[in-house]
Amino acid sequence: MRLGVIGYGRRIRHMVAEMRRIDPDCRVVAINDLQNNVIKQELGEEATEIVFYDSPEAMVQGAELHGILIGTRCSLHADMAIKVLPRGIPLFLEKPVATDEHALLRLKQKYEATGTEVVVSFPLRAAPLVTLVKEIIDSGKIGTVEHVQAVNNVPYGGVYYHHWYRDEKETGGLFLQKATHDFDYINYLLGMQPTLICAMTSKQVFKGNKPAGLKCVDCDEQHACPDSTVNIRRLPHETPAGEYCCFAVDTGNEDAGSALIRYETGMHVSYSQNFFARGKAGSRGARLLGYKGTLEFDFYTNTVKVYMHHSPVVETYEMTEEAGHFGGDAVLARNFIAVMKGEAKSIAPMEAGLLSALMCLRARESALTNAFLPIGWPEDQEGSNS
């Protein structure tokens, strides 16, 4: 399997490594990155087997590829995908698939016009834990899901204030960075369409009056500040924390956000995310309630509990596998290899990526305007008004 990469960053390198672990015949033969020369030096002898291109267009025209992976910064995901989709080469696309509505609509139109198979980087929906939850829900054990309470208390949230992620022009805000995963797995578990959303954000902790551009290493409080990157321990799975002060005047991103989402049946979901929880306070998962029972799960504890409502029974399931993104990365890698070989369809299709991004954009807009907003595409809304 000959792979071409646009944006050869940490995330895509990890996914390539997962693919090579599953199928050693997978190899990167083409790269397009703003830092081509730096990457050549980093790869050393390995780089001799790779052709480096100055543009995505040149790469897809000049290289014979079985698959393309896009891992640029978030603001470029849609633009890069639009450039390569017409080639019909299977695409692995990092989330969020777009960071503004104009780019999202252009991406949707190009995808629908080409029909290219796309695997969106949604490892949570692919995680074995979620697969188990889906099986239990679909069995009818707890009845029809009529309410969901979902949460994401991020124990490594400092990366969104110390690192380049602090630039909201690049991230699009933290609904698009984090909630895009959670909205997607909720949609997947429910198997129904969201119709309405309202949201609220706040920035109560990661703000301050330190000078713009201040780096922790240059701060006179570097040894006393609990969030100094000079001192804090980096978690094994965490993106390097970065170097900038998270209490400076130019620190972007909200540090908490919540959303209420109505679905087509009339049921609703509550979702909340937080970025200053730390250590064992970290949690990510949901409670799904039906008439017969309640199911709850948490990615960090890798457990599922089912509480039956009409009998004194609590069932507990504990997962044993621990891997990147709770095992979801390996599943996505295996699926993308099968897609490239023509043996399977995407388990994280573009439709899911587009819908999740739309929900995040609507949530961001709702938080800015204090309004309930419909979740739908312009053509759908035009049809409903005709």
Side-chain angles (χ1 to χ4, degrees):
M1 294 287 98
R2 296 167 57 86
L3 306 176
V5 177
I6 302 171
Y8 193 65
R10 180 176 180 269
R11 171 64 181 159
I12 290 301
R13 294 186 194 206
H14 168 72
M15 289 306 302
V16 168
E18 286 281 1
M19 291 175 197
R20 287 184 58 81
R21 183 180 63 80
I22 295 165
D23 185 346
D25 287 337
C26 290
R27 57 194 179 97
V28 176
V29 299
I31 290 177
N32 165 233
D33 194 288
L34 294 175
Q35 301 188 65
N36 277 345
N37 291 332
V38 174
I39 295 168
K40 286 180 186 178
Q41 294 179 349
E42 290 175 352
L43 294 179
E45 289 187 10
E46 187 180 344
T48 59
E49 300 179 358
I50 300 171
V51 179
F52 289 81
Y53 294 89
D54 293 330
S55 71
E57 295 92 339
M59 188 184 82
V60 296
Q61 290 173 8
E64 182 181 336
L65 303 172
H66 296 108
I68 298 172
L69 298 90
I70 294 178
T72 60
R73 288 196 177 184
C74 305
S75 61
L76 293 175
H77 288 171
D79 286 344
M80 297 299 105
I82 288 168
K83 291 177 185 293
V84 302
L85 280 170
R87 301 292 294 187
I89 302 170
L91 173 63
F92 183 91
L93 179 60
E94 258 306 316
K95 63 80 199 171
V97 299
T99 56
D100 67 77
E101 191 154 341
H102 177 66
L104 184 67
L105 291 174
R106 288 171 50 234
L107 178 61
K108 180 176 183 289
Q109 292 165 359
K110 184 64 69 174
Y111 166 70
E112 291 174 345
T114 62
T116 299
E117 197 74 14
V118 180
V119 176
V120 178
S121 184
F122 278 149
L124 294 193
R125 70 151 53 201
L129 183 73
V130 171
T131 299
L132 172 62
V133 171
K134 178 72 168 169
E135 290 174 355
I136 296 172
I137 291 171
D138 290 351
S139 75
K141 190 177 190 68
I142 66 171
T144 305
V145 176
E146 301 296 354
H147 186 55
V148 179
Q149 301 160 343
V151 66
N152 186 7
N153 292 314
V154 184
Y156 52 90
V159 67
Y160 296 103
Y161 310 96
H162 294 296
H163 209 39
W164 66 261
Y165 288 105
R166 69 199 255 123
D167 183 354
E168 292 176 73
K169 294 178 181 177
E170 289 290 346
T171 65
L174 295 185
F175 282 122
L176 280 164
Q177 282 304 306
K178 297 302 286 184
T180 188
H181 284 298
D182 302 290
F183 288 171
D184 176 67
Y185 83 66
I186 292 169
N187 292 339
Y188 171 66
L189 290 176
L190 293 178
M192 63 179 76
Q193 288 295 310
T195 60
L196 191 71
I197 193 167
C198 70
M200 185 176 293
T201 61
S202 56
K203 188 174 176 67
Q204 298 295 99
V205 174
F206 293 120
K207 58 183 180 179
N209 56 10
K210 293 290 186 181
L214 178 66
K215 296 181 179 180
C216 291
V217 70
D218 298 321
C219 179
D220 56 9
E221 297 181 49
Q222 62 178 274
H223 297 298
C225 175
D227 269 286
S228 166
T229 59
V230 175
N231 294 327
I232 63 174
R233 180 178 66 88
R234 294 176 180 172
L235 299 176
H237 64 280
E238 182 181 350
T239 300
E243 55 188 350
Y244 292 98
C245 173
C246 60
F247 301 109
V249 295
D250 61 339
T251 303
N253 292 322
E254 70 274 17
D255 51 34
S258 301
L260 290 175
I261 310 161
R262 178 181 292 163
Y263 281 76
E264 58 188 330
T265 64
M267 65 85 72
H268 78 275
V269 171
S270 67
Y271 170 80
S272 188
Q273 60 182 15
N274 172 281
F275 295 88
F276 50 87
R278 293 292 183 267
K280 292 295 184 180
S283 61
R284 191 173 200 174
R287 272 195 161 210
L288 300 99
L289 296 94
Y291 176 67
K292 296 179 181 179
T294 292
L295 181 152
E296 70 175 17
F297 69 94
D298 185 271
F299 286 103
Y300 289 115
T301 61
N302 230 1
T303 57
V304 179
K305 289 189 176 183
V306 180
Y307 303 86
M308 301 311 298
H309 289 174
H310 305 109
S311 61
V313 174
V314 178
E315 298 178 0
T316 301
Y317 304 82
E318 184 174 347
M319 309 298 291
T320 57
E321 181 178 354
E322 292 187 12
H325 275 119
F326 317 105
D329 283 344
V331 178
L332 286 181
R334 190 174 296 110
N335 178 237
F336 188 59
I337 292 170
V339 168
M340 288 191 290
K341 292 180 177 180
E343 299 173 350
K345 293 291 187 180
S346 171
I347 61 171
M350 179 69 98
E351 290 86 352
L354 293 168
L355 177 58
S356 176
L358 179 64
M359 293 171 70
C360 292
L361 289 168
R362 290 285 188 270
R364 184 177 70 184
E365 184 182 353
S366 171
L368 292 172
T369 60
N370 300 316
F372 283 81
L373 297 175
I375 300 169
W377 303 104
E379 60 267 28
D380 297 333
Q381 293 168 9
E382 288 171 7
S384 65
N385 294 329
S386 59

